[in-house]
């Protein structure tokens, strides 16, 4: 009986998938069907959805898993079918996917995590909660991967970013501590640098710009109150930058030299601009003296700061 129910849900999923593909092709040809309409008549779609609604609480995890795969196809809130379910006071596909984040079966949790849309804040919060929870490793890995690939860095709060980093760094599972962390860091560095990759044709400027990403990434973290986590991430980030520059076999000072030349030039230029700004905008001599003190500390003052 379980096999029969699985096959029925699989057939419904196949119909929904075919419907979505056909609809997309019709829309591309600019025919009359809307972008999120359906070629399946409403009454037939209702019957199919009623079956899925009934089976999403099936005692068999295999059946529930197949149901979730089918429901995920029509989860888009702009889909015509979505609004009809609202009008009929039925659970929407998105609501059902959310519920199964807490399914007793890790296989069902995995399907929900892999297929749910993570555009809205509620789903992002749910994904973060799953990634920080006590789910099985395969579910945690999937949740972290979705957050890395499908959620913008800026969509996460600083607290969420730091908690995710700490959970990965402290994990005893290599697939989390290594694979998931590297994937997350890779995506975050790309966002911080505004680049996708570094090619051999890139100029020195572009190369250096890419590897300034760790410093830029700090703007999205909390190095003051979470110094160890931020520090450890920066070390990992520099290792990754070194690898991306194909300098694993070069001496470390060569890698450092690649980064520091342009960085120092930029820093000096910014400092000069800041000093010129302060000199021209200072309201009094005392104001200008205070600016110089803060921007150009004496050697004694600087040493006191470093040794504290």
């Amino acid at each position: 009986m379980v096999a029969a129910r699985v096959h029925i849900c699989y057939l419904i999923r196949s119909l929904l998938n075919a419907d979505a593909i056909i609809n997309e092709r019709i829309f591309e040809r600019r025919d009359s069907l809307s972008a999120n309409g359906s070629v399946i008549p409403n009454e037939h779609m209702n019957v199919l959805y009623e079956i899925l609604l009934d089976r999403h609480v099936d005692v068999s995890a295999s059946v529930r898993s197949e149901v979730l795969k089918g429901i995920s196809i029509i989860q888009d809130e702009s889909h015509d079918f979505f609004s009809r379910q609202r009008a009929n006071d039925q659970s929407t596909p998105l609501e059902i996917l959310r519920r199964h984040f807490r399914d007793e079966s890790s296989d069902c949790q995995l399907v929900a995590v892999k297929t749910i849309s993570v555009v809205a804040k509620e789903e992002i919060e749910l994904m973060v909660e799953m990634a920080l929870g006590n789910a099985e490793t395969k579910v945690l890995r999937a949740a972290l991967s979705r957050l890395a690939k499908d959620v913008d860095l800026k969509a996460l709060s600083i607290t969420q970013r730091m908690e995710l980093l700490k959970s990965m760094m402290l994990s005893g599972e290599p697939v989390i501590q290594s694979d998931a962390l590297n994937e997350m860091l890779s995506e975050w560095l790309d966002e911080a640098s505004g680049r996708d990759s570094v090619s051999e044709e890139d100029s020195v400027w572009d190369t250096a710009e890419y590897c300034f990403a760790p410093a830029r990434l700090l703007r999205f973290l909390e190095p003051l109150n979470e110094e160890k986590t931020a520090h450890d991430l920066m070390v990992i980030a520099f290792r990754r930058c070194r690898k991306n520059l194909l300098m694993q076999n070069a001496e470390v000072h060569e890698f450092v030299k690649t980064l520091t030349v342009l960085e120092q030039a930029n820093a000096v230029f910014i400092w000069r601009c800041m000093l010129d700004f302060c000199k021209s905008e200072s309201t009094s001599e005392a104001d200008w003296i205070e600016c110089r003190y803060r921007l150009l500390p004496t050697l004694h003052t600087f040493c006191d700061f470093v040794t504290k």
Side-chain angles (χ1 to χ4, degrees):
M1 289 296 292
V2 171
R5 298 199 301 275
V6 169
H7 287 312
I8 289 172
C9 293
Y10 171 78
L11 287 173
I12 294 175
R13 173 163 70 96
S14 299
L15 285 171
L16 294 176
N17 189 51
D19 177 72
I21 293 173
I22 294 171
N23 175 52
E24 182 179 355
R25 291 179 179 174
I26 291 176
F27 179 71
E28 288 174 353
R29 294 205 304 266
R30 298 293 190 273
D31 285 353
S32 59
L33 197 64
S34 67
N36 292 294
S38 174
V39 295
I40 298 178
N42 289 348
E43 59 272 20
H44 295 165
M45 180 68 88
N46 287 333
V47 171
L48 296 177
Y49 190 63
E50 286 287 351
I51 296 173
L52 294 181
L53 276 179
D54 185 44
R55 290 296 108 203
H56 93 89
V57 291
D58 196 282
V59 294
S60 169
S62 299
V63 175
R64 297 198 303 275
S65 178
E66 199 60 52
V67 167
L68 294 175
K69 293 175 185 176
I71 279 180
S72 67
I73 298 172
I74 52 175
Q75 66 177 297
D76 191 339
E77 290 194 20
S78 62
H79 198 290
D80 289 348
F81 185 69
F82 191 99
S83 58
R84 292 203 299 273
Q85 300 318 116
R86 281 290 190 201
N88 296 333
D89 199 29
Q90 289 179 312
S91 295
T92 64
L94 195 56
E95 289 169 344
I96 292 175
L97 287 171
R98 290 192 200 112
R99 290 176 198 166
H100 285 276
F101 267 60
R102 295 175 176 81
D103 196 291
E104 63 183 20
S105 165
S106 61
D107 290 336
C108 293
Q109 289 179 350
L110 187 62
V111 173
V113 165
K114 284 186 172 182
T115 60
I116 196 170
S117 168
V118 282
V119 176
K121 182 178 180 180
E122 185 175 355
E123 281 68 58
I124 294 175
E125 298 281 348
L126 195 60
M127 195 66 71
V128 171
E129 182 182 335
M130 179 63 82
L132 296 175
N134 297 315
E136 288 193 15
T137 300
K138 63 181 180 181
V139 179
L140 293 177
R141 179 69 181 90
L144 289 167
S145 185
R146 291 297 309 278
L147 289 169
K149 293 180 177 179
D150 301 327
V151 177
D152 191 283
L153 175 61
K154 297 175 184 176
L156 300 171
S157 68
I158 291 181
T159 300
Q160 288 174 330
R161 295 171 201 146
M162 299 309 295
E163 288 300 318
L164 288 169
L165 288 173
K166 283 192 290 185
S167 71
M168 288 184 283
M169 290 178 175
L170 297 176
S171 174
E173 296 288 344
V175 72
I176 302 296
Q177 190 180 55
S178 178
D179 297 351
L181 180 59
N182 282 332
E183 182 180 41
M184 187 78 75
L185 179 59
S186 176
E187 296 294 334
W188 285 5
L189 283 174
D190 284 343
E191 288 191 52
S193 66
R195 298 174 52 80
D196 294 326
S197 62
V198 176
S199 65
E200 293 181 1
E201 291 77 19
D202 284 334
S203 65
V204 174
W205 173 277
D206 289 334
T207 296
E209 280 293 296
Y210 177 81
C211 282
F212 291 160
R216 290 174 179 154
L217 183 57
L218 278 178
R219 294 179 299 175
F220 300 97
L221 305 179
E222 181 53 275
L224 184 61
N225 297 319
E226 298 284 357
E227 183 176 344
K228 178 171 173 34
T229 301
H231 171 275
D232 292 348
L233 184 69
M234 289 299 101
V235 172
I236 297 171
F238 281 124
R239 287 197 191 107
R240 184 171 188 83
C241 286
R242 186 184 179 194
K243 180 179 179 181
N244 285 346
L245 292 176
L246 306 178
M247 298 184 71
Q248 306 98 305
N249 298 324
E251 293 185 348
V252 177
H253 73 86
E254 293 293 335
F255 168 67
V256 173
K257 184 169 64 176
T258 301
L259 302 185
T260 55
V261 173
L262 181 59
E263 187 176 20
Q264 289 171 353
N266 285 343
V268 170
F269 180 72
I270 287 292
W271 227 243
R272 283 175 51 202
C273 293
M274 178 65 75
L275 282 168
D276 289 341
F277 167 79
C278 291
K279 188 172 184 178
S280 63
E281 300 292 326
S282 294
T283 57
S284 64
E285 183 64 21
D287 187 19
W288 167 232
I289 292 174
E290 181 66 19
C291 286
R292 279 189 301 176
Y293 172 75
R294 292 183 178 279
L295 293 174
L296 298 173
T298 64
L299 182 60
H300 175 75
T301 304
F302 183 73
C303 289
D304 283 345
F305 171 76
V306 171
T307 55
K308 284 182 180 178

